[in-house]
Amino acid sequence: MLLGALEAGGTKMVLAIGNENGEILEQISIPTETPDITLPKIIDYFKDKNIEALGIGSFGPIDLDRSSKTYGYITSTPKLPWINCDIAGILGKSLGIPVGFDTDVNGSALGEATWGSTKGLASSIYITIGTGVGVGVYQNGKLLHGMLHPEAGHVLLSRHPEDTFTGVCPYHAQCLEGLASGPSIEKRWGKKAYELGADHKAWEFEAYYIAQALVGYILTLSPHRIVLGGGVMHQTQLFPMVREQVTALINGYLKTPQLDDMDHYIVPAALNDNQGIMGCIKLALMELEENSRN
Amino acid sequence: MLLGALEAGGTKMVLAIGNENGEILEQISIPTETPDITLPKIIDYFKDKNIEALGIGSFGPIDLDRSSKTYGYITSTPKLPWINCDIAGILGKSLGIPVGFDTDVNGSALGEATWGSTKGLASSIYITIGTGVGVGVYQNGKLLHGMLHPEAGHVLLSRHPEDTFTGVCPYHAQCLEGLASGPSIEKRWGKKAYELGADHKAWEFEAYYIAQALVGYILTLSPHRIVLGGGVMHQTQLFPMVREQVTALINGYLKTPQLDDMDHYIVPAALNDNQGIMGCIKLALMELEENSRN
């Protein structure tokens, strides 16, 4: 079975054809311009590929409430031309196929939970730390939605006592994205993350903030495993530092076999940065299953 | 249909008989002593009441993993005689009926979601702020479990700049329970919460800490509504203060109709402190439905 996958990002769109085993058969990438320019290009790519459904993992915020008039829309995004764009509806109607739709980071959570490092677990979360910070939540075969969807990249944190940097988030003086995203590292230290040595002070701050956020997610969601992905997490020296801080902050309050085995509790993504697009393939597959039930 | 309900607390056990409409027909309360003393009393109460199932909302931590050998147990509780007590198994076997089992605060979340202030909503959370702080999470007809269950009363917070009190949590210097539970108020101010005036400085600190925690839950779980219960929340002057702080901390980042209507987003419990025991009735009912499916 052929399935389409679209990872819709603020700067680029990744388009792929895959199958029900998560194998990617072909993939291209195009810049994200305006909907008028970009959506026709996406339709052109998919229209003669014989795909049975399309899965979209999109930048947001997006409307995931199936009872809403604006289900499938990108809503109040800072990417102005995309405000109130009915991306799922337009692509579904133009291609005449079912469309699965979720956030980009829920897509990555789903990719890892289906074929990656959280495969087989009842619950897991995926956190991307890069240009922005996002959190996807997988529970018992589904992705978590609610009033909106998780926006847990903006959880509020305590400032590191030695950190005088004001953060890059325009909304929050002390949130994870503002203090620990790639742009915050670059603005604080005047260099990009990959230009700093592995023993740079930056990583102490970074581990401190990431660990605080993870402890909040663990206490609130109790995931069976946590995957850390995104550009910043290519700095693999962060993993042991984050694990150590998480253990220190929980301080023995929670006792589970998973937390006793931190090396397998907080882990890198396993799908070579394909977790997002593979998750979109799974979104397509889940939408087909959903349709066959109704 | 008659259903049994047991709200198992660390100091007292509330036992009730109800029906499928959540009506409580009779109710008693006994002190929580040791399992050897207390469990036989519970069995005696329920054994000739013709109940079809029993629902238990228990203090914890508890084991909610149905595939686990210790499913239905109270596990590593500080109430030493109850460590590794198979409360659900013993009561189920002795009474010969199905037993629904969850945390006390998940029980309250379920009670409110079924018959109270979050009835009809797809997702909600219930937070009790009293002797301890606990959080129950309801999503699409189910209560959230994971590796364990939410323990979000211990989320880490930033300290109020004027608050020099060290907190009462033995594990965390700056968690919600440590800084905002009833005992923390009493220890910080030398008086019980209800002895402080409605304009006491205590409530400014309290609203500051509760609001920080709520913002974390909103960003992580995105509930459709939040219920605040427990003894401390009988101080109703806290509600407008918490709503104001939550709005200030989110600072326009999330835009939803629910957040635009804070008076109906953060609300008191609606079931006159019967949300817990009514939730246990619903747990019994859900277990019967679960059994009839299998």
Side-chain angles (χ1 to χ4, degrees):
Chain A
M1 182 197 305
L2 294 179
L3 298 158
L6 169 62
E7 208 180 354
T11 56
K12 68 173 179 176
M13 300 276 176
V14 179
L15 293 71
I17 309 295
N19 65 23
E20 69 275 23
N21 301 316
E23 288 160 339
I24 297 169
L25 307 173
E26 58 169 273
Q27 179 169 324
I28 65 161
S29 166
I30 61 173
T32 301
E33 298 175 83
T34 65
D36 283 354
I37 297 170
T38 306
L39 292 182
K41 288 184 184 171
I42 294 171
I43 293 163
D44 265 1
Y45 175 78
F46 284 120
K47 72 174 183 223
D48 54 1
K49 294 289 201 298
N50 290 315
I51 55 175
E52 297 191 30
L54 173 66
I56 306 174
S58 179
F59 69 102
I62 62 177
D63 187 345
L64 293 174
D65 176 359
R66 286 183 187 257
S67 69
S68 161
K69 280 185 186 173
T70 53
Y71 170 74
Y73 282 53
I74 296 171
T75 57
S76 57
T77 174
K79 298 279 292 180
L80 301 184
W82 292 85
I83 287 179
N84 293 324
C85 172
D86 180 16
I87 183 169
I90 291 169
L91 294 178
K93 265 169 234 143
S94 303
L95 296 167
I97 52 173
V99 171
F101 186 57
D102 218 304
T103 64
D104 42 10
V105 68
N106 262 350
S108 293
L110 182 62
E112 288 290 332
T114 310
W115 293 295
S117 55
T118 52
K119 186 178 166 181
L121 299 177
S123 69
S124 54
I125 62 176
Y126 178 92
I127 301 147
T128 180
I129 305 174
T131 310
V133 180
V135 180
V137 180
Y138 175 89
Q139 284 175 333
N140 302 312
K142 291 189 176 172
L143 296 161
L144 186 141
H145 307 152
M147 168 179 71
L148 191 65
H149 41 71
E151 282 283 354
H154 287 260
V155 288
L156 307 176
L157 305 177
S158 287
R159 186 173 286 282
H160 188 289
E162 297 169 49
D163 186 10
T164 55
F165 178 62
T166 51
V168 296
C169 176
Y171 297 96
H172 311 119
Q174 295 179 210
C175 76
L176 179 63
E177 181 167 302
L179 293 172
S181 61
S184 85
I185 296 173
E186 188 174 351
K187 199 165 171 201
R188 187 190 278 108
W189 304 104
K191 287 182 181 177
K192 289 187 183 294
Y194 63 81
E195 296 172 319
L196 304 168
D199 58 351
H200 195 280
K201 186 83 175 172
W203 309 120
E204 183 190 325
F205 287 8
E206 194 71 12
Y208 181 80
Y209 293 129
I210 296 170
Q212 268 188 65
L214 296 197
V215 170
Y217 307 149
I218 292 167
L219 289 162
T220 307
L221 293 163
S222 202
H224 283 79
R225 185 171 292 156
I226 294 173
V227 183
L228 295 175
V232 170
M233 294 312 301
H234 289 157
Q235 303 290 323
T236 54
Q237 73 275 11
L238 277 171
F239 282 90
M241 298 171 77
V242 168
R243 291 180 189 123
E244 191 183 326
Q245 288 273 339
V246 166
T247 300
L249 288 171
I250 292 175
N251 196 23
Y253 174 68
L254 297 176
K255 292 175 185 70
T256 71
Q258 291 89 347
L259 295 175
D260 284 342
D261 185 13
M262 268 287 159
D263 288 354
H264 296 101
Y265 187 65
I266 297 173
V267 300
L271 299 176
N272 300 312
D273 288 334
N274 285 323
Q275 52 272 22
I277 199 76
M278 289 172 75
C280 295
I281 293 174
K282 181 67 176 177
L283 283 175
L285 205 54
M286 284 166 69
E287 188 67 21
L288 278 181
E289 286 163 8
E290 180 75 24
N291 283 11
S292 72
R293 262 197 299 274
N294 297 341
Chain B
M1 183 198 303
L2 294 178
L3 299 158
L6 168 62
E7 207 180 353
T11 57
K12 68 173 180 175
M13 299 277 176
V14 179
L15 293 71
I17 309 296
N19 64 23
E20 69 274 23
N21 303 316
E23 288 160 338
I24 297 169
L25 307 173
E26 58 169 273
Q27 180 169 322
I28 65 161
S29 166
I30 60 173
T32 301
E33 298 175 84
T34 65
D36 282 355
I37 297 171
T38 306
L39 291 182
K41 289 184 183 171
I42 294 171
I43 294 163
D44 265 1
Y45 175 79
F46 284 119
K47 73 174 181 219
D48 54 3
K49 295 289 200 298
N50 290 315
I51 56 174
E52 297 191 31
L54 174 66
I56 306 175
S58 178
F59 69 100
I62 62 177
D63 187 343
L64 294 173
D65 176 359
R66 286 182 189 257
S67 69
S68 161
K69 279 186 185 173
T70 55
Y71 170 74
Y73 282 53
I74 294 171
T75 58
S76 58
T77 174
K79 298 278 294 180
L80 300 183
W82 292 86
I83 287 179
N84 293 325
C85 173
D86 180 16
I87 184 169
I90 292 169
L91 294 179
K93 265 171 234 142
S94 303
L95 297 167
I97 50 174
V99 171
F101 186 57
D102 218 304
T103 64
D104 43 9
V105 68
N106 262 349
S108 294
L110 182 61
E112 288 289 333
T114 309
W115 293 295
S117 55
T118 51
K119 185 178 166 182
L121 299 176
S123 69
S124 53
I125 63 176
Y126 177 93
I127 301 147
T128 180
I129 305 175
T131 310
V133 180
V135 180
V137 181
Y138 175 88
Q139 285 175 331
N140 302 312
K142 293 189 176 173
L143 296 160
L144 186 141
H145 308 152
M147 167 179 73
L148 192 62
H149 41 73
E151 283 282 354
H154 288 260
V155 287
L156 308 176
L157 305 176
S158 288
R159 185 172 287 282
H160 189 289
E162 297 168 50
D163 186 10
T164 56
F165 178 62
T166 51
V168 296
C169 176
Y171 297 96
H172 311 119
Q174 296 179 210
C175 77
L176 179 62
E177 180 165 305
L179 293 171
S181 62
S184 84
I185 296 173
E186 188 175 349
K187 200 167 172 197
R188 187 192 277 109
W189 303 105
K191 287 183 180 178
K192 289 189 185 292
Y194 63 81
E195 296 172 317
L196 303 169
D199 58 350
H200 194 281
K201 185 82 177 172
W203 309 121
E204 182 190 326
F205 288 9
E206 195 70 12
Y208 181 80
Y209 292 130
I210 295 170
Q212 268 188 65
L214 295 198
V215 169
Y217 308 149
I218 293 167
L219 289 162
T220 307
L221 292 163
S222 203
H224 284 80
R225 186 172 291 156
I226 294 174
V227 184
L228 294 176
V232 171
M233 294 312 300
H234 289 157
Q235 303 291 322
T236 53
Q237 73 275 12
L238 276 171
F239 281 91
M241 297 172 76
V242 167
R243 292 179 189 124
E244 190 183 329
Q245 288 272 337
V246 166
T247 300
L249 288 170
I250 292 175
N251 196 25
Y253 175 68
L254 297 176
K255 291 174 186 69
T256 72
Q258 291 89 347
L259 295 175
D260 284 340
D261 184 16
M262 267 287 159
D263 288 354
H264 297 102
Y265 188 66
I266 297 173
V267 300
L271 299 175
N272 301 312
D273 288 336
N274 284 324
Q275 54 272 22
I277 199 75
M278 289 172 76
C280 295
I281 293 174
K282 181 67 177 179
L283 283 174
L285 204 55
M286 284 165 70
E287 188 67 19
L288 278 181
E289 286 163 8
E290 180 76 23
N291 283 11
S292 72
R293 262 198 299 275
N294 297 340

